[in-house]
Amino acid sequence: MATTISLPTAHNGGSAMNAILLENGVNSGNPPLSASVVVTFSAFSSLSIPSGATVNGIEVIVNGQGSTSAGRPTIKVGYASTLSSSAPFSGDFSKSNALFDPGWGTSSFLWGLSWTPAQAEAIVVRVGEDYGGSARCYWDFIKVRVTFTAAASATVHSVNTV
């Protein structure tokens, strides 16, 4: 199996979210994602999956922290107008400036969807909060990693005649 990984290059969360598009290591200065924020990240332009490959799993990786151990952001992934249900988070989001690799999903988790290589390359990640009150999380970056199996190459036999 092979993998491909990418940061997003676009979002719908206003200019303050631009800091999350960079892997700059300073999550405390980035804008918080809070209970009232829903942001969709897209244009994961470095994803490269060969035509005919089988998508085996999709993972969402973040570097960041939360303000409460009880809270964690919900993540849905999808393509076009199709979104998955959310996936469970892998750890305690109250850790300070931690890398969660993966935070959601696994190398064999398809989020309840069927994926073509083109759909996986056009993935969107929707972030919403499932904790209430004033809980917030600060992210330095978000990435997507897709695990896939390349299609078997055709075997060509040639016969030389004399």
Side-chain angles (χ1 to χ4, degrees):
M1 286 192 272
T3 62
T4 182
I5 192 166
S6 181
L7 292 157
T9 59
H11 59 78
N12 71 343
S15 63
M17 287 287 134
N18 286 339
I20 296 175
L21 303 182
L22 307 170
E23 193 171 354
N24 63 12
V26 191
N27 70 31
S28 61
N30 289 348
L33 295 167
S34 62
S36 61
V37 174
V38 175
V39 178
T40 301
F41 293 96
S42 59
F44 291 84
S45 59
S46 296
L47 293 176
S48 179
I49 305 163
S51 178
T54 300
V55 176
N56 302 111
I58 297 173
E59 301 162 282
V60 177
I61 302 163
V62 296
N63 191 80
Q65 67 190 51
S67 62
T68 176
S69 62
R72 58 175 171 62
T74 59
I75 298 284
K76 295 181 179 184
V77 302
Y79 44 84
S81 60
T82 302
L83 281 176
S84 69
S85 52
S86 60
F89 182 66
S90 67
D92 176 1
F93 210 68
S94 67
K95 293 179 182 177
S96 177
N97 195 23
L99 176 64
F100 297 96
D101 181 2
W104 296 264
T106 69
S107 61
S108 61
F109 185 71
L110 294 173
W111 300 74
L113 300 174
S114 296
W115 297 86
T116 66
Q119 290 166 329
E121 287 180 347
I123 193 169
V124 296
V125 177
R126 185 173 178 180
V127 180
E129 301 297 331
D130 71 352
Y131 51 73
S134 61
R136 296 171 182 218
C137 64
Y138 295 85
W139 287 3
D140 174 41
F141 65 78
I142 182 171
K143 292 181 182 180
V144 166
R145 178 171 46 227
V146 179
T147 301
F148 62 92
T149 303
S153 57
T155 302
V156 177
H157 297 281
S158 73
V159 177
N160 294 328
T161 59
V162 187

